[in-house]
Amino acid sequence: MVGLATRYLNGLRRRDFVEGAALIDGGWIASSQRDVVVDPATGDEIADVARCSAADMALAIAAAERSFAAWRQLLPAKRGAILRSWASLLLDHSEELAILVTSEQGKPLAEARYEIVYAAGFLDWFAAEGERAYGETIPSHKAGSLLQVRMQPIGVAAAITPWNFPVAMITRKAGAALAAGCPIIVKPAPETPLSALAVARLATEAGVPPGVLQVLVGDPIELSAPLLRDTRIRALSFTGSAQVGRLLLGAAAQTVKKVSLELGGHAPFLVFDDVDLNKTVTGAIAAKFATSGQDCLAANRIYVQRGIYCAFVEAFAAAMNKLKVGHGLDPATDIGPMTKLSVANKCRMQIDDAVTKGARVISTKQDEKLASTFVFPTLLSDVTEDMLIAREETFGPVVAVLPFDSEDEVIARANANEMGLAGYVYTDSLRRALRLSEQLECGMVGVNTASFTGPPIPFGGWKQSGLGREGSRHGLAEYTELKYVCFGDVTG
Ligand code: NAD
């Protein structure tokens, strides 16, 4: 019987979106070596894609280098027009792209549709931001001289992207690189190549010249080795696990590349006893279960002040019980499968560990027939700091709730972790919100909100959550070099 994802993919108007050819130097390369793409909800094989080799990557690096001079010389407004046209094509094809994302990644279709809009937003944002790479004029400390600082494109960039936002993590990196005047080579996650290749097709249709954007799918180590070694690759942007991020940072040190890393988080979500309980539970559910929990901003540790602890656990469990687990292409679904079985297994391991150490578990088991990639939304209460879930990112629909007594105590516990991407504070006190937003050791803080990302904000983390920023004007800086120029004797 033909599976749900295959039926949807067979119905796509754009058959070329599932051809699975790589984009190198403006051409579509259909290698005889192929890798299969599976629907994580069923394990069904839904397509196959070209498996690129290190030799293909060498060709791509050379093509990118050749394209650099002309691309950097194009007026920023012309580069911006191409980016805007790419954004429009994403929106024109949003339904087909969303189907690709759900079929290979697993997230509910409504979330996949949102991802396409979010992804297009980065292209529009950077289209304009490229025109605002102003540089500076510095009041001179040398008599008779004029001091300038220019922002110049750094050169060829490389992006290694994850499977949880397979479209938006490409446009957030490529939008900034292209706007700054840099060609970029993208290596998407092997789990989600179809949407990456479709987005690349739309880039060529928007007028991105050969070599300026290239997408190669294949073995991560084989394809990243030439990128890391090659001195022509001047910038590397990575989103994924801290473990791989550290490896890439170490390897990139050999050629002193500019590296930006987004390595996930372990977000604390602080709830004080002065809050509106319903609004806070709504926020906590959104902060935990978006992208089926496979989100680096996910609230992993919910600290609740003791006065409302029991009421919070009860209300959260009631809201969680309404979440429907199923195939992402089923419109009723709120929580899809984990994209990788290893992620589902990590969730189960954290649940077992917490229960062994005394946590109480509330789970929403609904359908025993679902594949082992599914994890049912699970609340662990009375969690203590010695449990794995209190110390490590989960990346799935499992949440830890921990009681606390005082503000000083909870801020110390929230900060006692090596990750520092995002944090959340829910309180009715403005003074407390100001204090805590100042004290949290992380790159982004949501005060009484679970929704704060988007193109204008500097997305990124502190500590081992990463380096650099994406989106905002700071995102452009990851692909530029500053050049200071001193004009002497300008008054004579
Ligand atoms: P990962 O770090 O292995 O994969 C991310 C990207 O890195 C993919 O493109 C992958 O092909 C590539 N990659 C993997 N190993 C590589 C290597 N040795 N050299 C070069 N590239 C390599 O992540 P994962 O194993 O798929 O997921 C594991 C955990 O990572 C998750 O549970 C989550 O904690 C974290 N993660 C975080 C994000 C995020 O948004 N920050 C995204 C995905 C995964």
Side-chain angles (χ1 to χ4, degrees):
M1 202 179 82
V2 178
L4 192 55
T6 304
R7 258 186 285 146
Y8 269 82
L9 294 178
N10 285 344
L12 291 183
R13 267 182 306 134
R14 291 287 302 256
R15 299 303 307 152
D16 53 346
F17 280 3
V18 282
E19 269 172 21
L23 177 61
I24 303 176
D25 198 12
W28 293 98
I29 312 298
S31 157
S32 56
Q33 303 284 314
R34 310 287 292 176
D35 282 323
V36 295
V37 184
V38 299
D39 171 359
T42 58
D44 293 344
E45 292 183 9
I46 53 173
D48 56 46
V49 292
R51 186 195 308 154
C52 297
S53 63
D56 294 323
M57 187 56 88
L59 294 175
I61 295 171
E65 177 71 7
R66 280 196 302 277
S67 74
F68 180 37
W71 183 249
R72 70 180 294 187
Q73 276 160 23
L74 206 59
L75 286 178
K78 293 233 161 94
R79 292 197 296 259
I82 293 173
L83 286 172
R84 285 195 187 92
S85 156
W86 188 13
S88 304
L89 286 171
L90 250 64
L91 297 176
D92 291 348
H93 294 81
S94 61
E95 192 60 18
E96 298 189 281
L97 293 172
I99 288 169
L100 290 177
V101 168
T102 296
S103 300
E104 61 185 0
Q105 199 277 345
K107 67 176 71 175
L109 193 55
E111 289 190 8
R113 288 185 183 121
Y114 169 74
E115 180 179 346
I116 307 308
V117 176
Y118 181 58
F122 289 108
L123 300 177
D124 266 335
W125 170 269
F126 282 116
E129 205 52 32
E131 294 188 63
R132 293 192 284 254
Y134 294 139
E136 298 165 9
T137 301
I138 300 176
S140 185
H141 60 308
K142 303 256 177 214
S145 63
L146 177 68
L147 314 184
Q148 261 185 6
V149 180
R150 300 177 195 161
M151 284 173 84
Q152 295 195 324
I154 192 166
V156 179
I160 299 179
T161 56
W163 41 262
N164 60 339
F165 283 88
V167 173
M169 293 307 99
I170 292 178
T171 59
R172 193 158 77 180
K173 296 176 195 305
L178 267 53
C182 302
I184 190 164
I185 300 172
V186 179
K187 192 218 76 62
E191 293 78 15
T192 53
L194 296 175
S195 45
L197 294 167
V199 164
R201 278 192 187 270
L202 297 175
T204 61
E205 288 163 27
V208 175
V212 172
L213 175 91
Q214 303 179 88
V215 178
L216 286 81
V217 184
D219 177 71
I221 296 175
E222 181 177 355
L223 294 188
S224 61
L227 291 172
L228 291 161
R229 234 184 358 247
D230 202 301
T231 50
R232 290 170 293 181
I233 303 291
R234 299 308 316 153
L236 172 71
S237 177
F238 169 74
T239 300
S241 61
Q243 189 192 4
V244 172
R246 283 184 208 106
L247 280 177
L248 297 178
L249 183 62
Q254 297 308 311
T255 48
V256 195
K257 299 187 195 311
K258 188 165 186 174
V259 178
S260 53
L261 302 171
E262 201 276 271
L263 305 179
H266 184 39
F269 188 106
L270 315 185
V271 180
F272 288 84
D273 60 10
D274 56 359
V275 295
D276 174 321
L277 190 62
N278 287 336
K279 281 189 190 161
T280 306
V281 167
T282 303
I285 291 278
K288 178 65 233 183
F289 294 111
T291 329
S292 310
Q294 300 173 110
D295 196 317
C296 49
L297 298 178
N300 226 47
R301 305 172 276 158
I302 303 187
Y303 290 97
V304 185
Q305 204 161 21
R306 211 171 292 275
I308 57 159
Y309 180 76
C310 292
F312 179 91
V313 169
E314 199 178 311
F316 188 94
M320 185 182 81
N321 278 324
K322 295 191 185 130
L323 297 173
K324 170 93 174 60
V325 178
H327 198 295
L329 291 168
D330 175 345
T333 293
D334 300 301
I335 305 285
M338 302 300 98
T339 310
K340 296 176 73 161
L341 183 60
S342 57
V343 173
N345 287 339
K346 183 176 181 191
C347 292
R348 289 189 263 273
M349 186 185 68
Q350 288 194 346
I351 295 170
D352 290 347
D353 170 79
V355 171
T356 310
K357 292 175 180 155
R360 282 193 301 133
V361 62
I362 302 175
S363 167
T364 59
K365 234 173 186 5
Q366 294 157 8
D367 182 353
E368 300 286 348
K369 291 192 295 294
L370 289 174
S372 49
T373 43
F374 283 92
V375 176
F376 293 91
T378 304
L379 185 161
L380 297 166
S381 66
D382 301 351
V383 163
T384 50
E385 304 289 348
D386 61 325
M387 297 175 188
L388 279 178
I389 194 163
R391 300 203 305 266
E392 287 177 14
E393 182 179 40
T394 306
F395 230 62
V398 184
V399 65
V401 186
L402 307 89
F404 75 89
D405 292 298
S406 73
E407 190 180 312
D408 288 348
E409 171 209 336
V410 78
I411 192 73
R413 288 168 69 189
N415 285 339
N417 193 273
E418 271 309 306
M419 304 309 272
L421 187 65
Y424 302 83
V425 179
Y426 273 68
T427 178
D428 205 32
S429 157
L430 179 61
R431 283 176 193 280
R432 181 188 281 143
L434 287 169
R435 269 195 308 273
L436 289 173
S437 61
E438 184 72 15
Q439 289 167 2
L440 275 171
E441 293 173 0
C442 57
M444 295 170 282
V445 179
V447 177
N448 295 329
T449 181
S451 168
F452 54 76
T453 64
I457 68 114
F459 194 108
W462 288 16
K463 302 193 273 190
Q464 297 200 29
S465 283
L467 293 174
R469 293 296 179 270
E470 294 192 295
S472 79
R473 68 187 169 86
H474 304 284
L476 197 75
E478 303 296 333
Y479 300 92
T480 60
E481 286 278 29
L482 294 185
K483 182 181 282 168
Y484 159 62
V485 183
C486 175
F487 294 90
D489 202 17
V490 292
T491 51

